[in-house]
């Protein structure tokens, strides 16, 4: 195993984190928050020095890596970056322990949107830092899904392919920067457009900046406590909804639309099966919302349905989707958004493929001797291709059950453990608030052990459960 190669890229990771901290510190200086700016700048310098030292000691390492190297780097990356990102939470005095700071950093970086902190009590510097962390996390989610998980065939047929993302064996690390730049450019462009439109429609500059980063990353963290309606108008809320949907769409298809630079190619976004699935789920959620909440709150139901299906989960008004039965909200959260997006959950494409497989199996039952191939999007899919999807569902169910068991052992009741497990594993933190458990549980009530279990589930949800399960297969490490 190329340990020095992994250390080299961890050094690059430290340098990247330092750059993001420095940019946030510079923004804090402009906002006249001099003390937080100086503290963040000092942290950035220290992290940057560590990164440079790691790079300097390993820069002559061979430029080839195995699948095991790439997977180990993926897992270490998702563990170490939140550890670095947690330092500002401690230094700026928002978190009283390493555990709570790490929980907050994991939640932001995995774009889960769960927080035990009151936004109104935080400095603008920290609010901006966690918004930047969400944006960075969203880019990393899509980049790793394309470069490592798809290349290692860990996401199964549920991952779309694109000419941009064609990889050759041994060049996984080398392509991280190239593809990362493209994906970062896409999301930065969308976030910039969202920011400008929010400012034009009356949202303050700072709130527009943090909300645009949160929306395009499906993060869900907001710059103020309470519902969005208190400081975001209906037009701005609608704009946020559009960009939340874009965040839940396949980035490969968004790239194709932007690359072609023709307005009529936007139809590609609507023709995609997963994107149609998003609209269908949002429509079903809307109908349930009208039934349970009433037509008098139609706008709130519509906009919150869009937020919810994207796994962003913004709370627009006091009365909204919280009135729906918890089982509906949990099911939608677990389904999630599109593959190669910033959304969490199982992903819609896997659900569609399994339903197609189910239909084919039903046809085979009526004609046992008949050969009925499974077709999807005009292509025949062999039965063995569904093995990885069934394995994914098995792994997802296994970790969901494991999470419920561990949260229960940590002191939560069964209902609270189920909701917290679903919110963490699907990377949709606002689900806990939306379900409104009878116990009144909020993230601020979590013990340190419950925070650690929740953070672990967030990380597992983001690295794809198969990437974790494969660690327990010796044959993978012998390749």
């Amino acid at each position: 195993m190329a340990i020095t190669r992994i250390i080299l890229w961890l050094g690059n990771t430290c340098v990247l984190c330092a750059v993001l901290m420095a940019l946030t510190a510079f923004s804090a200086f402009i906002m006249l928050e001099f003390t937080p700016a100086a503290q963040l700048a000092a942290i950035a310098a220290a992290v940057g020095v560590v990164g440079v030292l790691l790079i300097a000691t390993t820069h002559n390492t061979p430029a080839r890596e195995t699948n095991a190297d790439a997977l180990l780097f993926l897992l270490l990356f998702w563990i170490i970056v939140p550890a670095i990102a947690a330092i500002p939470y401690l230094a700026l005095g928002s978190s009283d322990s390493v555990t709570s700071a790490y929980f907050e950093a994991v939640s932001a970086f995995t774009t889960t949107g769960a927080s035990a902190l009151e936004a109104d009590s935080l400095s603008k510097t920290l609010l901006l830092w966690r918004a930047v962390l969400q944006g960075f996390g969203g880019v990393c989610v899509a980049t790793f899904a394309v470069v490592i998980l798809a290349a290692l065939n860990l996401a199964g047929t549920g991952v779309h392919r694109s000419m941009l993302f064609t990889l050759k064996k041994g060049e996984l690390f080398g392509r991280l920067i190239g593809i990362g730049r493209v994906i970062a450019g896409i999301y930065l462009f969308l976030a910039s457009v969202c920011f400008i439109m929010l400012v034009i429609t009356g949202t303050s500059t700072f709130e527009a900046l943090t909300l645009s980063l949160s929306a395009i990353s499906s993060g869900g963290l907001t710059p103020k406590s309470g519902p969005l309606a208190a400081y975001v108008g209906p037009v701005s809320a609608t704009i946020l909804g559009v960009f939340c949907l874009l965040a839940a769409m396949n980035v490969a298809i968004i790239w194709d639309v932007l690359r072609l630079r023709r307005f009529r190619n936007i139809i590609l976004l609507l023709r995609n099966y997963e994107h149609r699935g998003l609209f269908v789920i949002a429509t079903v959620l809307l109908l349930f919302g009208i039934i349970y909440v009433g037509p008098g709150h139609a706008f709130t139901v519509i906009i919150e349905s869009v937020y919810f299906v994207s796994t962003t989960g913004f709370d627009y008004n006091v009365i909204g989707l919280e009135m729906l039965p918890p089982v509906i909200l949990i099911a939608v959260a677990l389904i999630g958004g599109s593959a190669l997006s910033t959304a969490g959950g199982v992903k819609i494409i896997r659900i569609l493929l399994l339903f197609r497989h189910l239909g084919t199996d039903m046809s085979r039952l009526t004609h046992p001797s008949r050969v009925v191939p499974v077709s999807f999007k005009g292509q025949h899919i062999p039965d063995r291709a569904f093995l990885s999807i069934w394995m994914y569902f098995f792994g997802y169910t296994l970790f969901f059950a494991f999470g419920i068991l561990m949260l229960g052992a940590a002191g939560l009741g069964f209902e609270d453990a189920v909701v917290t497990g679903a919110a963490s594993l699907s990377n949709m933190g606002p689900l806990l608030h939306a379900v409104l458990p009878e116990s009144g549980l909020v993230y601020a009530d979590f013990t340190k052990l419950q925070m650690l279990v929740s953070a672990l589930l967030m990380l597992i949800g983001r690295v794809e459960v198969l990437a974790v399960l494969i660690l327990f297969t010796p044959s993978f490490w012998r390749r």
Side-chain angles (χ1 to χ4, degrees):
M1 182 173 288
I3 298 298
T4 55
R5 183 81 170 148
I6 295 173
I7 294 175
L8 171 65
W9 280 93
L10 289 177
N12 289 326
T13 299
C14 289
V15 171
L16 181 56
C17 289
V19 171
L20 293 176
M21 287 182 183
L23 290 175
T24 306
F26 178 74
S27 301
F29 182 81
I30 294 176
M31 293 185 293
L32 305 181
E33 292 192 342
F34 301 116
T35 301
Q39 292 174 322
L40 199 56
I43 297 170
V47 173
V49 168
V50 172
V52 170
L53 290 176
L54 291 177
I55 294 172
T57 56
T58 57
H59 70 281
N60 289 325
T61 185
R64 302 287 288 183
E65 64 280 330
T66 65
N67 289 351
D69 298 332
L71 181 58
L72 183 58
F73 170 71
L74 167 71
L75 298 174
L76 290 175
F77 179 90
W78 283 99
I79 294 172
I80 292 174
V81 170
I84 297 172
I87 300 175
Y89 285 91
L90 290 169
L92 300 181
S94 63
S95 298
D96 57 359
S97 69
V98 174
T99 302
S100 61
Y102 190 72
F103 171 80
E104 296 291 336
V106 168
S107 175
F109 186 56
T110 59
T111 72
T112 300
S115 179
L117 305 175
E118 284 291 331
D120 291 341
S121 65
L122 303 179
S123 64
K124 285 188 175 181
T125 302
L126 194 58
L127 289 172
L128 180 59
W129 170 240
R130 72 177 188 175
V132 170
L133 198 54
Q134 286 180 106
F136 179 42
V139 171
C140 292
V141 167
T143 302
F144 279 117
V146 169
V147 178
I148 294 182
L149 296 177
L152 301 185
N153 197 27
L154 295 182
T157 54
V159 174
H160 289 277
R161 302 281 179 165
S162 172
M163 291 298 293
L164 172 68
F165 306 141
T166 302
L167 299 173
K168 295 179 181 179
K169 187 175 181 180
E171 64 175 16
L172 294 178
F173 285 179
R175 291 286 280 165
L176 275 175
I177 294 179
I179 292 179
R181 285 175 180 171
V182 173
I183 293 177
I186 292 171
Y187 285 134
L188 184 60
F189 170 75
L190 294 176
S192 300
V193 174
C194 181
F195 167 74
I196 293 171
M197 295 180 72
L198 288 177
V199 172
I200 292 175
T201 53
T203 306
S204 70
T205 303
F206 180 76
E207 291 163 2
L209 177 60
T210 53
L211 285 173
S212 60
L213 290 172
S214 185
I216 206 61
S217 63
S218 303
L221 293 173
T222 57
K224 287 187 176 182
S225 303
L228 286 179
Y231 55 96
V232 173
V235 178
S236 296
T238 304
I239 292 170
L240 276 177
V242 172
F243 284 91
C244 284
L245 273 180
L246 287 172
M249 293 181 178
N250 191 305
V251 69
I253 297 180
I254 295 176
W255 178 80
D256 287 338
V257 171
L258 295 176
R259 178 177 59 86
L260 294 174
R261 298 180 183 179
R262 294 177 182 175
F263 183 78
R264 66 173 180 269
N265 288 307
I266 294 179
I267 195 67
L268 292 174
L269 294 174
L270 304 178
R271 291 174 57 186
N272 180 264
Y273 280 85
E274 282 188 284
H275 300 170
R276 292 181 190 177
L278 280 173
F279 293 121
V280 170
I281 295 172
T283 302
V284 172
L285 202 57
L286 168 62
L287 294 176
F288 276 112
I290 295 297
I291 294 172
Y292 283 93
V293 183
H297 300 278
F299 178 76
T300 299
V301 171
I302 293 172
I303 204 67
E304 287 192 358
S305 296
V306 173
Y307 295 155
F308 207 87
V309 297
S310 68
T311 71
T312 307
F314 287 139
D315 181 22
Y316 180 70
N317 217 330
V318 176
I319 300 177
L321 293 185
E322 296 88 352
M323 307 299 293
L324 271 65
V327 65
I328 297 176
L329 299 178
I330 293 174
V332 173
L334 291 175
I335 291 173
S338 303
L340 299 189
S341 72
T342 62
V346 173
K347 302 298 185 293
I348 294 174
I349 189 66
R350 294 189 177 104
I351 304 294
L352 293 176
L353 285 169
L354 288 183
F355 270 105
R356 182 60 59 90
H357 194 243
L358 175 63
T360 302
D361 282 346
M362 295 296 292
S363 177
R364 289 169 177 169
L365 287 176
T366 58
H367 302 83
S369 60
R370 181 181 176 188
V371 177
V372 183
V374 181
S375 60
F376 186 77
K377 297 176 64 175
Q379 298 180 351
H380 293 311
I381 303 176
D383 288 344
R384 64 178 181 274
F386 289 92
L387 178 60
S388 60
I389 301 180
W390 284 115
M391 288 177 59
Y392 181 91
F393 269 88
F394 170 76
Y396 205 90
T397 305
L398 184 66
F399 280 115
F400 189 24
F402 169 78
I404 294 173
L405 180 64
M406 293 301 296
L407 289 168
L412 291 183
F414 179 73
E415 179 185 348
D416 294 338
V418 171
V419 177
T420 303
S424 302
L425 192 60
S426 66
N427 300 112
M428 187 177 178
L431 177 66
L432 181 62
H433 170 74
V435 169
L436 293 175
E438 293 182 2
S439 64
L441 180 71
V442 294
Y443 291 108
D445 298 330
F446 278 21
T447 64
K448 293 180 180 180
L449 181 57
Q450 291 164 359
M451 285 185 175
L452 284 176
V453 175
S454 178
L456 176 62
L457 291 175
M458 294 176 195
L459 292 171
I460 291 173
R462 267 311 177 205
V463 301
E464 298 279 349
V465 296
L466 289 183
V468 179
L469 286 176
I470 202 170
L471 290 176
F472 302 98
T473 58
S475 60
F476 180 82
W477 300 100
R478 290 197 298 263
R479 291 179 185 178

